[in-house]
């Protein structure tokens, strides 16, 4: 019985070291870069929505109507990817 205990404790120690090293920082450098890219896309998208000073007509091309929402969706998608990326 004591041999079994020694084997399980010896096997669990390297696993514990890996967890203790990863416990320090929740994200890696690449995660933070993706977070910055996502926030940048959101800023561009919301700034694009604020750009027109007059009524936006759907008959004419408008950055606020056609492009800015895609920047915002891309920003949120990038943020979700950055958080879930391992």
């Amino acid at each position: 019985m004591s041999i079994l205990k020694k084997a399980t404790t010896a096997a669990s120690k390297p696993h514990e070291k890996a967890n203790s090293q990863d416990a320090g920082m929740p994200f890696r450098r690449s995660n933070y870069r993706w977070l910055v890219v996502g926030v940048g896309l959101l800023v561009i998208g919301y700034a694009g929505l604020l750009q027109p000073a007059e009524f936006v007509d759907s008959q004419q091309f408008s950055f606020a109507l056609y492009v800015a929402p895609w920047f915002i969706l891309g920003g949120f998608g990038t943020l979700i990817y950055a958080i879930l990326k391992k």
Side-chain angles (χ1 to χ4, degrees):
M1 190 71 147
S2 65
I3 296 172
L4 180 61
K5 286 183 183 179
K6 288 181 183 178
T8 57
T9 57
S12 64
K13 286 184 181 179
H15 182 62
E16 291 173 3
K17 285 184 180 180
N19 284 342
S20 66
Q21 291 173 354
D22 292 339
M25 295 292 286
F27 295 135
R28 295 184 179 147
R29 175 170 275 189
S30 64
N31 293 82
Y32 287 112
R33 287 181 181 163
W34 282 110
L35 283 171
V36 169
V37 168
V39 169
L41 287 173
L42 285 174
V43 167
I44 292 170
Y46 282 115
L49 287 177
L50 295 173
Q51 190 63 27
E54 56 191 48
F55 181 72
V56 177
D57 187 15
S58 64
Q59 301 295 326
Q60 295 177 344
F61 177 78
S62 172
F63 184 83
L65 191 60
Y66 295 110
V67 181
W70 289 105
F71 272 96
I72 293 171
L73 288 175
F76 281 121
T78 305
L79 289 177
I80 291 170
Y81 173 75
I83 293 170
L84 296 179
K85 182 182 176 201
K86 191 160 186 174

